[in-house]
Amino acid sequence: MDFSKHPCFSAEARHTTGRIHLPVAPKCNIQCNFCNRKFDCVNESRPGVASTILSPDQALGYLKEVDDRVENLAVVGIAGPGDPFANAEETIATMKKVGEAFPEKILCLATNGLGLLEYVDEIASLNVSHVTVTLNAVYPEIGAKIYSWIRFGSRVLRGVEGAKLLLERQTAAITALKARGVTVKINTVIIPGINDGHAEEVARYAAALGADVQNCIPLMHVEETAFADRPVPDAGEMQALRFAAGKHLRQMSHCARCRADAVGKLGEANTEEIQALLKKAARIGPTDEWPFIAVASREGLFVNCHVGEALQLWIFKNENGKPVLIERRPTPVPGGGDERWEALAKTIPDCFALLASGCGNAPLTILAKRGIAVTAAECLVRDAAEPLFRGEPIPKVLERAAGSCGSGALCSGTGTGCA
Ligand code: SF4
């Protein structure tokens, strides 16, 4: 295996080569007790955070622009902000497009491993050479304390039952990846009092499966998580447990705990230019085919409805830079899961943007796939529609975070989610 150019797998390469994470995977299939994907801030640097979501086509366009500006971008990865295989269609489509356009880049995925197994053949055939699997426990009793639930197909499993299934799926996926020659890194989040005495066992287990390297990551404090008040391990504790785990599996100790839209060398914050490129990539201006904007509104004057609660969408055309109402279209009735959002996309096939005061991850992803960018805002329709018709972002002060609603419950208009 060649670790030499991947900045995460080689401590030397981190000084010379960079990576780009493409944020195409908003949904997640597990709730880890240390993770909160609701926080979305350009100044926050941790996994699970991205300032926008891109469709596979947008991600490729963005990558082309970034690659022209950032030197030695050796690795293209997908690391969320949810899980790549809770968004498998987008993940595979993105890897395929990137591999065709940039055959020289190292392709990399970081996943919790729950949904990975079914895609191992495809991953290998797309030349994805590096996969990171987060393996926090190899005893289900310990895993049960780390995961509040896992969703597998239509089932939601909790406690030991969920942790056991997760471990089985991770074990099978790692074994399958190694059988196909893929380099596998194990991420282990070290949570004092839960699994800090367990890292060596994880290393031993993963080494037996053929994993190549382990990255023990100290717990980070993240607001509004079950582990928000836990102590974090200090440097001495991390060194000791890496030493013990290192007897079984090579250790990585320079992880920068990157955002899901990180670009450049490890530890460097995204520049303003990169943030602007990311925003630009996520934005689609009006075209001949998609000239209109749809607005989730109660009365057609303000953007004041969540996507999940909108009974109708108000459709505006551009007349000399001003939004002019042309019609109202009813939205599909609640229920039906993703089919509701597919049906919603079909009601606005001529719109390039949807303005709403909130939007869950499921509609955000499905609409993005259909080329409809959801912009979350609370303001007069006019104030958001005018810049969008000009192909510009809406003023920051009007923005809300799309995709931050969460998921699951019927949307009540209070940011609790779309269904
Ligand atoms: S989070 Fe850690 S392993 Fe992932 S890209 Fe950043 S440095 Fe590499």
Side-chain angles (χ1 to χ4, degrees):
M1 85 206 64
D2 178 17
F3 287 127
S4 64
K5 277 202 195 149
H6 197 309
C8 310
F9 287 72
S10 157
E12 288 73 46
R14 78 183 145 140
H15 301 298
T16 52
T17 62
R19 47 69 184 111
I20 177 169
H21 288 169
L22 299 174
V24 298
K27 292 183 278 183
C28 202
N29 45 11
I30 288 185
Q31 180 59 61
C32 304
N33 287 333
F34 49 76
C35 180
N36 184 346
R37 294 178 303 116
K38 280 192 213 157
F39 288 85
D40 176 8
C41 162
V42 286
N43 298 316
E44 197 168 2
S45 186
R46 63 171 174 83
V49 170
S51 58
T52 196
I53 302 298
L54 301 178
S55 69
D57 283 325
Q58 289 170 340
L60 181 63
Y62 166 65
L63 172 60
K64 285 177 179 166
E65 294 219 55
V66 173
D67 194 52
D68 284 344
R69 291 166 173 83
V70 177
E71 275 183 12
N72 290 337
L73 214 48
V75 178
V76 180
I78 299 175
D83 187 84
F85 297 98
N87 308 263
E89 196 184 322
E90 293 77 13
T91 295
I92 297 295
T94 305
M95 288 282 113
K96 192 160 186 286
K97 287 172 194 287
V98 172
E100 282 165 5
F102 295 93
E104 76 289 358
K105 305 274 190 215
I106 296 171
L107 303 183
C108 180
L109 294 167
T111 171
N112 58 43
L114 179 64
L116 172 59
L117 183 61
E118 288 72 18
Y119 296 94
V120 167
D121 279 331
E122 218 160 347
I123 287 170
S125 73
L126 291 172
N127 292 324
V128 176
S129 56
H130 293 68
V131 174
T132 294
V133 179
T134 299
L135 185 62
N136 295 319
V138 294
Y139 299 159
E141 298 71 25
I142 294 179
K145 297 180 189 161
I146 299 175
Y147 307 105
S148 92
W149 51 259
I150 75 161
R151 189 188 307 115
F152 187 62
S154 57
R155 288 188 297 160
V156 175
L157 305 176
R158 297 174 196 276
V160 169
E161 193 188 12
K164 192 162 172 282
L165 177 67
L166 175 62
L167 180 61
E168 283 168 11
R169 302 275 307 164
Q170 291 169 324
T171 303
I174 294 167
T175 305
L177 286 171
K178 291 314 302 172
R180 287 155 185 80
V182 177
T183 299
V184 174
K185 171 157 70 68
I186 301 299
N187 275 1
T188 305
V189 179
I190 303 300
I191 309 151
I194 304 280
N195 71 345
D196 49 342
H198 188 55
E200 183 177 354
E201 198 53 45
V202 174
R204 196 196 324 259
Y205 185 94
L209 299 178
D212 299 276
V213 61
Q214 184 183 28
N215 174 22
C216 292
I217 309 169
L219 175 73
M220 279 179 102
H221 274 149
V222 179
E223 280 179 51
E224 293 181 27
T225 64
F227 291 159
D229 297 327
R230 281 207 168 250
V232 296
D234 64 30
E237 287 162 337
M238 290 302 297
Q239 197 179 10
L241 66 85
R242 280 185 186 127
F243 180 77
K247 288 187 262 169
H248 310 282
L249 193 52
R250 180 175 172 261
Q251 296 289 300
M252 165 194 181
S253 58
H254 61 278
C255 177
R257 302 189 288 193
C258 309
R259 295 165 56 96
D261 58 8
V263 174
K265 298 204 182 87
L266 300 193
E268 290 177 355
N270 284 4
T271 62
E272 281 187 14
E273 185 186 21
I274 295 295
Q275 284 305 122
L277 286 175
L278 191 53
K279 288 272 175 201
K280 189 177 122 199
R283 202 172 67 235
I284 304 171
T287 64
D288 289 346
E289 204 179 341
W290 299 293
F292 305 137
I293 293 175
V295 181
S297 171
R298 293 195 178 88
E299 69 306 288
L301 191 59
F302 292 93
V303 183
N304 55 11
C305 276
H306 285 227
V307 169
E309 67 175 350
L311 300 175
Q312 58 186 350
L313 294 176
W314 303 64
I315 311 298
F316 291 84
K317 70 173 181 180
N318 178 9
E319 209 168 274
N320 301 321
K322 305 278 177 217
V324 173
L325 180 68
I326 53 171
E327 62 180 307
R328 286 183 280 172
R329 296 179 192 166
T331 55
V333 291
D338 287 354
E339 281 171 25
R340 181 182 174 199
W341 310 121
E342 298 284 0
L344 182 72
K346 284 184 190 146
T347 67
I348 49 172
D350 45 5
C351 296
F352 70 94
L354 169 58
L355 279 166
S357 59
C359 181
N361 281 320
L364 188 71
T365 310
I366 289 168
L367 290 164
K369 256 193 309 191
R370 306 278 168 257
I372 302 162
V374 180
T375 297
E378 270 182 332
C379 57
L380 282 166
V381 171
R382 179 186 69 210
D383 291 344
E386 286 180 6
L388 290 178
F389 276 133
R390 290 196 299 272
E392 294 172 5
I394 66 167
K396 268 211 144 338
V397 59
L398 306 181
E399 266 182 22
R400 295 193 60 195
S404 61
C405 283
S407 60
L410 276 176
C411 179
S412 61
T414 55
T416 54
C418 293

